[in-house]
Amino acid sequence: MQAVLAIDDFVGACYIAAHDFPEYDIDEPENFFLHADDPVLVLPKDADWSLLHRELSDEIRWLPNRLRNVRDALESIEIEPPEFNDLFEHRQDAYARLGLRGMDLVERICAEYQLPFPARPDYYDPRSDFVSKVREMDDFWRRRAQSAKQVPEEPSNVTSLFGRIAVPD
C-alpha cells in the first residue's frame, strides 16, 4: 500500500510538471522560471518487494532510475534563448510519459492485489490528460521533423564569395 501511495504522489507531481509552462522575465527574456519542481519519487525503504510478482516489483524499482535518467537528460540540454533547445517541450513530454507509467503501475498493483484505487475528484483525470499531452508532444515532434525536412540541404541560395568546397568522394 505504501508503494501505491508513493507512486500516486509521483503521478501527481508528474502531472503538474507535464503541464507547467515557463514564465519569462520581460526585461531579460533569457531568464525564466518554472512553476513546478521536478517530480520526486521516494519508495518505501522497508517494502518487502518479494510480496509482488517479480516483473511488477522490478518495474516499480526501476521507476526512480527512469526518473533520474529524465532529470539527467534535461540537465544535459544546453539552453539557449529564444527556444531553449526545446527544454520545456522535452520536460513536458518526459514527465507525461513517466506519469502514465506510474499510473499503469498503480492500477496494476491495485488490480492484482485487490487494493483500493486512489480516489480522485471527478474533474481530475490524470490519465486522459497525460495521454492528451503525449499525443500533443508526438504531434509537435512530428511537425518539427517534417519542418526540418523542408529545409534545403544547401545553407543558402546566395553564391559563396569563395566558391564551393568540394567534398572528395
Side-chain angles (χ1 to χ4, degrees):
M1 180 71 156
Q2 289 177 338
V4 169
L5 297 175
I7 297 169
D8 192 54
D9 285 347
F10 172 71
V11 166
C14 284
Y15 182 89
I16 293 168
H19 294 86
D20 188 21
F21 291 91
E23 196 165 321
Y24 301 95
D25 183 336
I26 294 172
D27 297 324
E28 297 180 45
E30 67 275 1
N31 293 333
F32 66 89
F33 73 92
L34 295 163
H35 300 273
D37 292 331
D38 288 337
V40 174
L41 174 60
V42 180
L43 294 175
K45 292 184 188 295
D46 60 344
D48 183 358
W49 300 109
S50 67
L51 296 175
L52 303 176
H53 302 300
R54 177 166 175 129
E55 178 191 345
L56 182 56
S57 68
D58 286 351
E59 186 63 29
I60 293 167
R61 290 183 290 175
W62 271 108
L63 201 54
N65 180 264
R66 294 179 200 288
L67 173 60
R68 195 169 27 261
N69 287 341
V70 164
R71 278 203 200 126
D72 291 347
L74 292 172
E75 292 277 330
S76 75
I77 296 174
E78 257 188 67
I79 54 174
E80 297 173 17
E83 294 189 15
F84 297 91
N85 291 334
D86 298 325
L87 169 68
F88 312 120
E89 291 81 1
H90 285 295
R91 184 175 191 263
Q92 290 180 352
D93 189 19
Y95 288 135
R97 291 176 193 279
L98 278 176
L100 266 176
R101 186 179 287 259
M103 286 208 73
D104 290 343
L105 287 171
V106 167
E107 289 172 3
R108 270 182 68 194
I109 296 167
C110 290
E112 288 183 29
Y113 299 95
Q114 291 82 42
L115 295 174
F117 188 76
R120 301 191 197 304
D122 292 339
Y123 57 86
Y124 178 57
D125 183 5
R127 175 171 293 286
S128 69
D129 290 341
F130 282 139
V131 167
S132 178
K133 178 57 80 172
V134 167
R135 283 187 186 136
E136 174 188 328
M137 297 314 301
D138 285 346
D139 189 46
F140 174 80
W141 300 124
R142 184 184 47 73
R143 284 191 326 270
R144 173 68 58 88
Q146 287 174 343
S147 179
K149 288 179 187 175
Q150 302 300 321
V151 176
E153 288 187 30
E154 291 291 320
S156 171
N157 64 354
V158 176
T159 305
S160 172
L161 291 175
F162 303 105
R164 190 176 222 166
I165 298 173
V167 178
D169 289 330

